[in-house]
Amino acid sequence: MLYLLYGENKDQAREKARGMIDNLKKKKPDAAFFHVTTENWNEATLEEYIGGQGLFSNKYIVFVDSIFENKEIKEVAVKKIKEMAESQNIFIVLEGELDKATFTKFEKCAEKVQSFGVKGETHGEAQAREFNIFSLGDALGRRDKKNLWVLYNKAKRAGLEDEQIHGTLFWSVKNMILACNLESAKEAGLNPYVFGKARNFAHNFKYEELGALASGLVALYHDSRRGISDLDVALERFILSI
């Protein structure tokens, strides 16, 4: 399994990587952790991480940290992208800016690809520049599962957090429920345009379905907070169930 975190704002990318690693260590306390850098790089060792497993653990967690900065290492490591993705072990790759050919290889194979904006730009500014998060709610309201799935993946590539995506989907469902129960935008506490759109979207669902969607979103969020499930995986299942 392979995750790529990349971009010019490497401080944010590194912070995200550390968070992912900490969460994985908590969920898989018996997993062995390895940190690969240009200082300790060895092709044979990488191949062992790809194909091996610990004596007492089910998986390795391997943090591949900025090795593409060395051109010679990059030439070898790029050829291992598919193998890392297909490995039973977990690889988290942190890099700066990537050339198009290298990015394409990651995009085809990685479980998740997340970019981090330019230096000096806040995370929120980068998200606003790259992706309109409200398009997720609109696709859900139209009950357009295919487009929602495409937009979800675009949102992930744009660097949006799972919590933001979840919040937008829940906001859309909540608005549709309000539009079913109340007569005006003022009663609902919504902008008239948002209320009108939510009322139109609500026609694509039975009222009982909206209640089930809301309950499901609440449950999957709390399950992720308790460590029962991963929020990103739960969101994917939710989208595919629409």
Side-chain angles (χ1 to χ4, degrees):
M1 187 175 292
L2 175 63
Y3 299 90
L4 171 67
L5 310 173
Y6 78 101
E8 187 176 336
N9 198 332
K10 208 166 181 182
D11 289 340
Q12 278 187 351
R14 185 174 297 280
E15 183 180 350
K16 178 67 174 179
R18 286 172 178 160
M20 291 178 65
I21 291 166
D22 288 343
N23 286 335
L24 286 168
K25 286 180 176 179
K26 289 177 183 177
K27 293 175 182 178
K28 305 177 186 298
D30 295 329
F33 173 71
F34 301 97
H35 187 184
V36 180
T37 68
T38 55
E39 298 298 319
N40 64 8
W41 158 263
N42 183 288
E43 182 179 358
T45 302
L46 181 63
E47 290 177 352
E48 164 60 24
Y49 295 157
I50 290 170
Q53 287 188 336
L55 184 61
F56 301 107
S57 62
N58 294 324
K59 293 182 184 295
Y60 294 158
I61 300 168
V62 186
F63 181 31
V64 183
D65 186 355
S66 308
I67 63 173
F68 288 3
E69 293 175 357
N70 181 304
K71 292 183 179 180
E72 293 180 359
I73 294 175
K74 178 182 176 182
E75 287 181 7
V76 176
V78 163
K79 297 175 183 177
K80 304 293 182 182
I81 290 174
K82 185 177 180 181
E83 293 177 47
M84 286 190 281
E86 294 175 348
S87 173
Q88 294 298 308
N89 298 315
I90 302 170
F91 289 82
I92 298 173
V93 177
L94 171 69
E95 290 295 340
E97 290 294 293
L98 296 174
D99 59 82
K100 185 175 181 180
T102 302
F103 172 78
T104 299
K105 289 183 178 181
F106 274 110
E107 190 176 35
K108 287 180 179 179
C109 300
E111 181 79 12
K112 180 188 295 185
V113 173
Q114 191 166 350
S115 65
F116 294 81
V118 298
K119 291 179 179 177
E121 183 177 55
T122 68
H123 200 185
E125 290 169 341
Q127 292 164 0
R129 177 174 58 81
E130 295 185 34
F131 185 80
N132 175 16
I133 194 169
F134 296 108
S135 61
L136 288 163
D138 290 348
L140 173 58
R142 290 192 299 271
R143 205 165 188 169
D144 186 349
K145 177 165 61 177
K146 182 178 179 180
N147 191 41
L148 180 56
W149 173 251
V150 171
L151 289 169
Y152 170 77
N153 284 282
K154 286 183 178 180
K156 299 291 286 184
R157 288 196 294 272
L160 273 70
E161 300 289 344
D162 295 322
E163 289 79 4
Q164 292 175 284
I165 295 171
H166 174 275
T168 300
L169 297 177
F170 183 77
W171 175 81
S172 179
V173 173
K174 182 188 72 172
N175 288 348
M176 286 188 279
I177 292 174
L178 288 172
C180 288
N181 289 323
L182 300 172
E183 294 299 322
S184 68
K186 186 175 181 180
E187 283 184 276
L190 296 174
N191 176 282
Y193 173 73
V194 173
F195 182 80
K197 189 161 61 170
R199 174 162 281 184
N200 288 332
F201 286 156
H203 292 136
N204 296 320
F205 300 86
K206 295 178 181 178
Y207 186 75
E208 294 77 12
E209 288 179 315
L210 291 174
L213 290 176
S215 297
L217 284 167
V218 171
L220 67 85
Y221 178 78
H222 287 301
D223 284 349
S224 71
R225 299 289 288 180
R226 296 190 195 103
I228 297 173
S229 63
D230 291 326
L231 186 54
D232 58 345
V233 174
L235 283 171
E236 289 180 19
R237 289 174 179 164
F238 172 84
I239 290 168
L240 293 173
S241 73
I242 299 301

